[in-house]
């Protein structure tokens, strides 16, 4: 059932909360493994780390290695080298069982995936589990040593382990709540934020064991009610939870407690409809091959959808599931069972041999080192609290760039001609940047860099600005906005700096300068209030410079996720009102010339859609309703306030058809942001439009 929820969510995006299958899996794992370990302590007075990890290696590694190797090899056949190299790096992290920290470091958001998804991303859950089992056996070993010390135990093992498990679980849950509030995308991958889930299963097993020791049990009707209720709550939560639910805390408490109810009630009473449902022969077989199903399903879905983009996606997904089942059956028969058999053979040999003290000590040292590293990683992910910001704290000399010397297109007509030529192509041309080395951090505008550019996180105490051109230039233009505005900087600077202008920029990630509140794509605590403060910093700073021109630009995403919940015409009206307020604030600060610069047309990520098996047409996109609504809203606001709107859709589309490249230059570096190369090529066209719009500014 757990793996079924996950696969259904990945394959069909339904149920929306299907990702809770991972949480169910954690509870089951904690329940089973803790029972095995405490039984060994109870029977032998100690715990053999070498035997435990030998079992884990033979059970986990063989299939995991095969799937990683096959996935990486297939990636080089399907994708260009840039993405395939990234997947190979993912594979290394997976086999080292640090995939969760690897994806957290890359800024991956599992529930709000926006850029190209790794076919190995699901390995993060295995990494969390193995990291947990690098530390939990140490705790149990310490308890065994304290209770036994070579003699009969002074108190029941289960009782002591239960108390320790409850304390750690409560601490983990508290940490998870704090981390989910502060950094939700990282909290999802964080090891200690997930410990309470595994320990919930452990606690269920320990309580059951204590009851058995005392001869206690639930009556069959009560046990049946608990298990059935847990199953129903789990099913309903998989339907009601969404990608926006706070995870892992407190959202995961629902599937975790439901799983505990199913396990505890089922263990007390093997009967009733819930028990019969979960013990059906087909479900039991799926349970046997569930590990292989989990490993194979995500690579099969991602790789086949990429390789067969011209086929109906539902058909490809069904094919991927059939391939997953076939590979899982083969994997279980010829890899998993072989590993289990060899493990048993090694255990039999090990029982006849005396284990040296060194062989006993090495696993302990390795566990201590690995557990310490996990703790350090967890604390390293927590940033310092975001401070208050003010215009006076802006770093005026933070980042200075020269305008790009790239060849530019002189007019809109020249840009349109290049787009038309691209739409006629049937095979990929040689591109700039190359698809084999495409890298968002290297091929986007320098202004996009959080460290050296002028894109800042909301709430930073000392935001950076970008400065292009001589400081004593006769005229000054200021660009404010979000990351989309930052991606326009090569265009604006290329258009104005050669004409004797100075161009300054200040941007805040995911924070539109338009006075319309919208949460970011990745949830963040206090974002709305921080964005409001950042928005005021931008407008106040821009007005304080008394520039000749202020350019305002933002992404189209916010209009689709307004905090008010408005959609359609209501969202367009709210966006218009917000744009009017922004222009009014600039005007009240003495800014005469305000230009609203429309965003680049959003579309497919080239790293995701471009493959060796397809041509550029699969990366083509169309103008969507959000783009059109945003354009209409900004045009109306500009009309009301006698400001100007620069409509850029003809720089990206011919009619409603929008290619991913033009004359060999990739247009976007991801789904929304311009490549630095294309932004620079548009400088001439922007200059021509600005000259026509502002003849008195001598551009």
């Amino acid at each position: 059932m757990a793996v079924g929820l996950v696969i259904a969510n990945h394959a069909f995006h339904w149920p929306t909360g299907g990702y809770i299958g991972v949480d169910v899996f954690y509870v089951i794992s904690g329940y089973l493994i803790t029972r095995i370990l405490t039984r060994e302590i109870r029977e032998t007075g100690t715990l053999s780390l070498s035997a435990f990890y030998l079992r884990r290696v033979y059970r986990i590694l063989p299939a995991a290695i095969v799937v990683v190797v096959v996935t990486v090899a297939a990636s080089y056949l399907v994708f260009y080298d840039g993405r395939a190299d990234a997947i190979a790096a993912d594979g290394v992290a997976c086999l080292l069982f640090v995939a969760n920290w690897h994806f957290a470091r890359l800024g991956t958001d599992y529930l709000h995936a926006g850029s190209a998804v790794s076919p190995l991303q699901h390995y993060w859950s295995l990494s969390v589990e193995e990291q947990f089992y690098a530390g939990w056996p140490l705790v149990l070993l310490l308890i065994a040593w304290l209770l036994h010390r070579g003699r009969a135990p002074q108190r029941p093992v289960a009782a002591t382990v239960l108390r320790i498990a409850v304390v750690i679980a409560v601490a983990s849950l508290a940490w998870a709540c704090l981390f989910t509030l502060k950094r939700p995308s990282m909290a999802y991958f964080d090891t200690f934020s997930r410990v309470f889930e595994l320990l919930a299963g452990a606690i269920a097993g320990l309580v059951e064991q204590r009851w058995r020791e005392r001869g206690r049990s639930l009556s069959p009707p009560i046990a049946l009610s608990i298990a059935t209720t847990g199953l129903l709550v789990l099913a309903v939560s998989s339907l009601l939870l969404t990608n926006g639910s706070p995870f892992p805390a407190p959202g995961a408490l629902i599937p975790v407690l439901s799983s505990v109810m199913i396990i505890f009630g089922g263990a007390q009473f093997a009967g009733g409809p819930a028990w019969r449902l979960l013990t059906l022969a087909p479900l039991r077989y799926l349970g046997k091959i569930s590990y292989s199903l989990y490993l194979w399903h995500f690579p099969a879905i991602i790789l086949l959808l990429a390789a067969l983009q011209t086929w109906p996606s539902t058909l490809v997904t069904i094919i991927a599931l059939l391939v997953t089942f076939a590979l899982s059956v083969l994997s279980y028969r010829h890899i998993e069972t072989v590993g289990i058999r060899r493990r048993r053979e090694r255990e039999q040999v090990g029982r006849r041999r005396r284990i040296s003290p060194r062989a006993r000590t090495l696993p302990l040292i390795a566990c201590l080192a690995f557990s310490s590293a996990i703790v350090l990683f967890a604390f390293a992910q927590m940033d310092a609290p975001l401070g208050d910001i003010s215009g006076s704290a802006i770093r005026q000399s933070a980042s200075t760039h020269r305008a790009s010397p790239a060849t530019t297109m002189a007019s809109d007509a020249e840009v349109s001609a290049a787009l038309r030529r691209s739409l006629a192509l049937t095979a990929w041309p040689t591109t700039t940047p190359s698809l084999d080395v495409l890298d968002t951090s290297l091929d986007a505008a320098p202004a996009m860099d959080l460290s050296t550019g002028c894109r800042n996180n909301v709430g930073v105490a000392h935001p950076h600005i970008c400065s292009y051109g001589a400081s004593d230039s006769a005229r000054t233009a200021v660009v404010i906005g979000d990351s989309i505005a930052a991606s326009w900087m090569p265009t604006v600077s290329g258009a104005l700096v050669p004409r004797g202008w100075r161009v300054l920029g200040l941007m805040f990630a995911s924070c539109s300068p338009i006075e319309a509140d919208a949460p970011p794509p990745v949830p963040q605590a206090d974002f709305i209030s921080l964005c409001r403060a950042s928005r005021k910093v931008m407008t106040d700073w821009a007005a304080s410079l008394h520039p000749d021109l202020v350019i305002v630009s933002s992404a189209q995403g916010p209009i689709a996720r307004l905090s008010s919940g408005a959609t359609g015409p209501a969202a367009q009206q709210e966006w218009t009102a917000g744009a009017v307020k922004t222009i009014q604030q600039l005007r009240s600060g003495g800014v005469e010339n305000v230009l609203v610069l429309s965003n680049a047309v959003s579309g497919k990520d080239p790293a995701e859609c471009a493959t060796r098996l397809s041509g550029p047409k699969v990366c083509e996109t169309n103008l969507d309703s959000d783009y059109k609504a945003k354009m209409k809203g900004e045009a109306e606001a500009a009309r009301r306030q006698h400001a100007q709107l620069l409509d850029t859709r003809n720089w990206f589309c011919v009619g409603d058809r929008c290619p991913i490249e033009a004359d060999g230059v990739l247009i976007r570096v991801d789904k929304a942001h311009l490549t630095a190369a294309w932004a620079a090529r548009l400088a001439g066209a922007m200059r021509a439009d600005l000259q026509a719009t502002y003849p008195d500014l001598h551009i």
Side-chain angles (χ1 to χ4, degrees):
M1 182 177 65
V3 74
L5 285 171
V6 174
I7 293 176
N9 177 261
H10 286 160
F12 303 109
H13 308 291
W14 186 92
T16 56
Y19 54 83
I20 65 173
V22 171
D23 308 284
V24 176
F25 168 75
Y26 282 154
V27 175
I28 296 172
S29 175
Y31 172 82
L32 294 175
I33 298 300
T34 301
R35 282 172 59 90
I36 292 171
L37 295 177
T38 53
R39 182 172 64 244
E40 181 179 347
I41 293 174
R42 188 171 62 252
E43 294 175 353
T44 67
T46 188
L47 182 62
S48 172
L49 291 178
S50 58
F52 173 74
Y53 290 115
L54 181 67
R55 292 195 297 269
R56 297 298 295 176
V57 165
Y58 277 110
R59 179 69 184 89
I60 300 297
L61 268 184
I65 292 174
V66 169
V67 174
V68 167
V69 171
V70 171
T71 301
V72 171
S75 297
Y76 277 100
L77 295 176
V78 175
F79 301 117
Y80 285 94
D81 288 351
R83 187 176 180 191
D85 289 344
I87 293 171
D90 298 339
V92 173
C94 293
L95 295 181
L96 294 176
F97 293 108
V98 292
N100 58 324
W101 296 117
H102 171 71
F103 291 123
R105 182 184 62 82
L106 292 177
T108 303
D109 180 36
Y110 194 71
L111 299 183
H112 302 79
S115 57
V117 178
S118 169
L120 296 173
Q121 188 167 307
H122 62 312
Y123 268 69
W124 72 268
S125 61
L126 298 180
S127 297
V128 168
E129 186 191 22
E130 294 315 306
Q131 290 166 20
F132 172 77
Y133 289 125
W136 183 233
L138 291 178
V139 175
L140 299 184
L141 184 62
L142 177 61
I143 293 173
W145 180 78
L146 292 174
L147 292 182
H148 291 78
R149 301 187 188 183
R151 303 185 300 275
Q154 301 172 6
R155 61 180 65 87
V157 173
T160 304
V161 175
L162 178 60
R163 295 187 184 96
I164 298 297
V166 169
V167 171
I168 299 175
V170 170
S172 169
L173 179 59
W175 169 272
C177 290
L178 172 64
F179 211 179
T180 301
L181 180 66
K182 184 175 175 60
R183 299 293 296 276
S185 60
M186 284 192 171
Y188 197 90
F189 294 111
D190 179 57
T191 305
F192 196 59
S193 294
R194 296 286 183 166
V195 163
F196 78 92
E197 302 182 36
L198 289 134
L199 287 180
I203 291 169
L206 293 167
V207 170
E208 179 197 343
Q209 182 178 326
R210 289 283 290 159
W211 278 32
R212 291 184 184 278
E213 291 173 353
R214 297 179 179 182
R216 298 174 60 185
S217 64
L218 295 172
S219 65
I222 294 177
L224 175 61
S225 298
I226 291 175
T228 304
T229 301
L231 187 61
L232 290 174
V233 172
L234 186 66
V236 172
S237 65
S238 72
L239 297 172
L240 297 182
L241 290 171
T242 67
N243 291 350
S245 302
F247 245 78
L253 279 174
I254 300 174
V256 166
L257 294 178
S258 300
S259 301
V260 169
M261 293 171 67
I262 295 170
I263 291 173
F264 195 75
Q268 296 288 317
F269 175 63
W275 177 266
R276 287 194 293 270
L277 174 64
L278 296 176
T279 55
L280 290 173
L283 290 182
R284 290 203 307 271
Y285 183 73
L286 290 178
K288 286 183 179 180
I289 65 171
S290 61
Y291 178 56
S292 288
L293 284 170
Y294 184 78
L295 290 181
W296 284 111
H297 85 280
F298 206 53
I301 292 171
I302 296 299
L303 290 169
L304 286 175
L305 283 174
L308 304 174
Q309 293 183 62
T310 58
W311 293 30
S313 59
T314 302
L315 175 61
V316 176
T317 300
I318 292 173
I319 293 173
L321 294 181
L322 294 175
V323 170
T324 296
F325 183 78
L327 291 174
S328 299
V329 171
L330 293 174
S331 181
Y332 177 74
R333 288 182 179 177
H334 302 293
I335 300 175
E336 288 190 66
T337 55
V338 171
I340 294 171
R341 185 168 63 250
R342 289 182 178 177
R343 182 202 77 198
R344 290 171 179 169
E345 292 172 354
R346 287 289 301 271
E347 287 178 342
Q348 292 175 357
V349 173
R351 292 190 188 101
R352 297 192 295 266
R353 293 180 179 176
R354 180 182 179 83
I355 301 176
S356 67
R358 181 180 180 184
R360 295 177 183 272
T361 304
L362 287 178
L364 178 62
I365 296 174
C367 287
L368 287 171
F370 194 39
S371 301
S372 300
I374 293 170
V375 173
L376 292 175
F377 269 126
F379 278 100
Q381 301 303 319
M382 290 289 285
D383 290 338
L386 298 175
D388 295 331
I389 58 177
S390 62
S392 60
I394 293 174
R395 297 183 181 180
Q396 294 287 344
S397 59
S399 180
T400 302
H401 303 285
R402 291 178 297 186
S404 172
T407 302
T408 67
M409 297 182 178
S411 65
D412 291 1
E414 190 175 339
V415 177
S416 294
L419 295 173
R420 291 180 190 278
R421 288 191 292 270
S422 295
L423 288 171
L425 294 178
T426 57
W428 283 104
T430 301
T431 62
T432 303
S434 170
L435 288 168
D436 278 325
V437 295
L438 183 62
D439 188 321
T440 303
S441 61
L442 298 178
D443 297 315
M448 287 278 292
D449 193 287
L450 279 171
S451 300
T452 61
C454 44
R455 179 172 68 103
N456 303 275
N457 286 322
V458 293
V460 295
H462 304 287
H464 292 265
I465 67 165
C466 293
S467 176
Y468 303 79
S471 59
D472 59 351
S473 298
R475 295 190 180 275
T476 300
V478 172
V479 184
I480 59 173
D482 53 20
S483 59
I484 295 300
S487 74
W488 276 120
M489 290 305 286
T491 312
V492 178
S493 61
L496 296 178
V497 171
R499 306 296 292 179
W501 285 60
R502 185 186 187 195
V503 177
L504 302 172
L506 174 62
M507 297 85 184
F508 289 90
S510 300
C511 180
S512 171
I514 304 301
E515 290 284 344
D517 293 335
V522 179
Q524 178 181 333
D526 302 324
F527 177 85
I528 298 299
S529 60
L530 291 172
C531 180
R532 288 174 180 171
S534 298
R535 192 181 293 136
K536 188 175 188 304
V537 168
M538 286 190 283
T539 54
D540 289 351
W541 170 75
S544 70
L545 296 173
H546 307 292
D548 299 278
L549 176 65
V550 172
I551 299 175
V552 179
S553 188
S554 67
Q556 73 182 52
I559 198 172
R561 55 173 189 272
L562 293 170
S563 298
S564 65
T567 59
Q572 182 179 319
Q573 292 173 7
E574 183 175 337
W575 196 261
T576 298
V580 166
K581 290 180 182 178
T582 299
I583 297 171
Q584 288 176 339
Q585 289 171 0
L586 290 168
R587 287 276 169 73
S588 66
V591 177
E592 179 180 355
N593 297 310
V594 178
L595 174 72
V596 180
L597 177 62
S598 66
N599 58 280
V601 175
S602 298
K604 297 179 181 178
D605 184 346
E608 189 168 16
C609 65
T611 73
R612 300 183 187 276
L613 308 178
S614 63
K617 187 173 179 58
V618 298
C619 291
E620 186 180 312
T621 190
N622 300 104
L623 287 175
D624 59 24
S625 58
D626 290 336
Y627 182 89
K628 295 175 181 178
K630 178 175 178 288
M631 281 293 305
K632 291 178 181 178
E634 291 173 348
E636 176 61 19
R639 185 191 65 79
R640 292 181 189 178
Q641 295 299 309
H642 304 289
Q644 300 295 328
L645 171 72
L646 181 50
D647 183 348
T648 64
R649 77 182 78 188
N650 290 332
W651 295 351
F652 304 99
C653 306
V654 177
D656 272 358
R657 295 180 61 196
C658 313
I660 190 63
E661 61 82 34
D663 281 355
V665 178
L666 289 180
I667 292 174
R668 290 185 307 276
V669 73
D670 52 25
K671 292 183 177 180
H673 301 94
L674 297 171
T675 61
W678 183 247
R681 292 290 295 274
L682 294 174
M686 173 175 277
R687 183 186 304 129
D689 287 343
L690 292 178
Q691 288 170 341
T693 304
Y694 297 105
D696 296 337
L697 292 182
H698 306 293
I699 296 174

